[in-house]
Amino acid sequence: MLICTFFFLQSCSQTQKPVDTANTKSYKMENPTTKNNPYYSRSDKTKLNVPDSEWKKILPPDLYAVAREANTEYPFTGKYNDFDQLGEYYCAVCGNHLFRSDAKFSSTCGWPSFFEADKDGVAYKRDSSHGMERIEVICKRCDSHLGHVFNDGPPPTGTRFCMNSVSLDFEPDKK
């Protein structure tokens, strides 16, 4: 049983060097770096071609490590893992729309999970790292690493988008 649990958590993990977001400065639900990020927009859908050297100047170190270097958060430490408000999820790097909260579910894998993504918001890449075959999920606008998608999710799609909280911005529904 312990081996199965380890494999399950490892399959969702993206790298061997997790980012400890629990011990970094805490963020409000909206990414405070958007003020200093000239590429962040929730309405512009233009494909970005920004070099990593520029992103490194703009993004906080933990977001840069995950989004641009494909690192991962430690399981159960992300701000959206046990989070259930209604609203929209955006790319923390560029502001592109990624998920609706209605598609979020409790997967107990340690990372926020969704059964459906915005088809105009995400793209997919083959990931053969760490001796595994996985499908990486990236932002369609800025090519930032978000997480991975697996075929073990709930109906209606049967997919589990296993995402890093640090890569996500959340905007609650207006009441």
Side-chain angles (χ1 to χ4, degrees), residues 69-138:
E69 297 177 330
N71 282 336
T72 190
E73 300 170 316
Y74 283 111
F76 306 103
T77 63
K79 62 187 170 187
Y80 299 123
N81 183 49
D82 289 323
F83 183 79
D84 63 357
Q85 288 185 15
L86 292 177
E88 307 293 334
Y89 289 87
Y90 298 88
C91 176
V93 173
C94 73
N96 196 32
H97 186 264
L98 304 171
F99 301 97
R100 171 80 191 142
S101 63
D102 294 346
K104 189 172 186 291
F105 69 99
S106 178
S107 70
T108 67
C109 72
W111 292 271
S113 297
F114 302 84
F115 61 80
E116 183 176 52
D118 181 336
K119 66 179 175 19
D120 296 323
V122 301
Y124 307 95
K125 264 176 39 176
R126 182 178 177 195
D127 178 0
S128 299
S129 64
H130 310 296
M132 295 180 271
E133 287 295 324
R134 299 177 292 178
I135 300 170
E136 181 181 8
V137 181
I138 60 173

Side-chain angles (χ1 to χ4, degrees), residues 21-116:
T21 55
N23 292 324
T24 59
K25 63 182 176 179
S26 67
Y27 296 105
K28 293 184 179 180
M29 288 303 142
E30 189 170 328
N31 185 348
T33 63
T34 59
K35 287 183 266 181
N36 301 323
N37 183 345
Y39 308 105
Y40 190 95
S41 173
R42 292 194 177 163
S43 58
D44 187 355
K45 301 298 179 197
T46 306
K47 179 77 172 164
L48 294 172
N49 189 16
V50 178
D52 283 341
S53 58
E54 179 70 12
W55 286 126
K56 193 165 193 155
K57 294 175 192 172
I58 296 169
L59 303 175
D62 55 345
L63 178 55
Y64 180 84
V66 171
R68 306 311 302 172
E69 297 177 330
N71 282 336
T72 190
E73 300 170 316
Y74 283 111
F76 306 103
T77 63
K79 62 187 170 187
Y80 299 123
N81 183 49
D82 289 323
F83 183 79
D84 63 357
Q85 288 185 15
L86 292 177
E88 307 293 334
Y89 289 87
Y90 298 88
C91 176
V93 173
C94 73
N96 196 32
H97 186 264
L98 304 171
F99 301 97
R100 171 80 191 142
S101 63
D102 294 346
K104 189 172 186 291
F105 69 99
S106 178
S107 70
T108 67
C109 72
W111 292 271
S113 297
F114 302 84
F115 61 80
E116 183 176 52

